[in-house]
């Protein structure tokens, strides 16, 4: 991956981000350096830790996310600098993770399609997973809001989604 900084899109004025003040940037190099400082600040911020902890807990455990799990994940995020391996270790060692096993979840169309592709020979699918995603209302990069597709099971339980899954499996 390549990181690209577009100085013409950066506002050189001083900025307040989550209560921290970042000085005005004079020139492209200072704007670039300030941008890096802001990214480092955001990556280490407790709100970032809670955001990611909440997203992980909702995706892999339950909706709504268990608060105790979110708290522990956020704490581990801050302690490890966001180490993904440590976050997943924390999650699977947490009692909330195992208690959630008693409640079945519906896989999102993306999760279902990827699992299907891994379990079969993907080269024979030729766009069928993309068709599933579009038919089920979860086209790649099609969600208008920046918050991503919903995690609630109810969002993916409808006749179109079920038919799309059946068609992917070869049931016509």
């Amino acid at each position: 991956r390549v990181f690209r900084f577009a100085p013409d899109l950066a506002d050189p004025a001083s900025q307040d981000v989550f209560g921290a003040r970042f000085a005005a940037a004079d020139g492209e190099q200072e704007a670039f350096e300030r941008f890096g400082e802001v990214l480092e600040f955001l990556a280490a911020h407790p709100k970032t830790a809670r955001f990611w902890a909440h997203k992980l807990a909702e995706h892999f455990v339950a909706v709504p996310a268990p608060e105790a799990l979110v708290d522990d994940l956020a704490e581990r995020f801050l302690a490890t600098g966001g180490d993904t391996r440590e976050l997943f270790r924390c999650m699977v060692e947490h009692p909330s993770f195992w208690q959630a096993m008693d409640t079945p979840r519906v896989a999102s169309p993306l999760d279902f399609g990827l699992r299907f592709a891994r379990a079969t020979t993907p080269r024979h699918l030729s766009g069928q997973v993309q068709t599933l995603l579009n038919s089920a209302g979860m086209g790649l990069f099609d969600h208008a809001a920046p918050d991503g597709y919903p995690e609630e099971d109810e969002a993916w339980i409808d006749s179109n989604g079920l038919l799309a899954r059946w068609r992917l499996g070869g049931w016509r």
Side-chain angles (χ1 to χ4, degrees):
R1 295 212 159 165
V2 176
F3 173 76
R4 186 176 73 95
F5 177 73
D8 52 322
L9 298 177
D11 183 354
S14 62
Q15 302 291 327
D16 290 323
V17 178
F18 286 143
R21 185 113 179 118
F22 293 89
D26 185 27
E28 288 185 15
Q29 186 60 34
E30 277 190 26
F32 177 78
E33 289 170 5
R34 184 182 69 172
F35 184 71
E37 291 171 11
V38 171
L39 287 179
E40 288 178 15
F41 171 78
L42 288 174
H45 198 279
K47 287 185 180 182
T48 303
R50 285 205 63 81
F51 174 84
W52 283 110
H54 191 265
K55 285 286 193 182
L56 285 171
E58 278 199 342
H59 186 79
F60 290 103
V61 181
V63 177
E67 279 303 311
L69 176 59
V70 172
D71 293 342
D72 290 350
L73 285 172
E75 183 179 315
R76 182 77 59 98
F77 183 100
L78 293 172
T80 65
D83 184 317
T84 307
R85 181 177 295 174
E86 287 299 315
L87 292 174
F88 278 100
R89 181 174 286 126
C90 177
M91 185 168 43
V92 300
E93 290 173 352
H94 202 277
S96 297
F97 180 82
W98 298 103
Q99 291 166 356
M101 294 296 134
D102 296 334
T103 306
R105 299 274 321 264
V106 174
S108 72
L110 179 61
D111 287 339
F112 181 85
L114 292 177
R115 291 172 190 167
F116 186 86
R118 286 181 187 140
T120 61
T121 308
R123 67 176 175 269
H124 297 298
L125 295 178
S126 67
Q128 292 175 337
V129 172
Q130 184 65 41
T131 301
L132 162 76
L133 296 177
N134 292 336
S135 298
M138 193 180 201
L140 285 180
F141 311 111
D142 284 349
H143 191 58
D147 58 347
Y149 285 103
E151 290 288 343
E152 293 84 8
D153 292 348
E154 293 78 22
W156 309 116
I157 300 174
D158 63 19
S159 57
N160 282 341
L162 184 58
L163 285 173
R165 292 170 194 237
W166 284 351
R167 287 188 180 123
L168 180 63
W171 297 294
R172 302 268 178 220

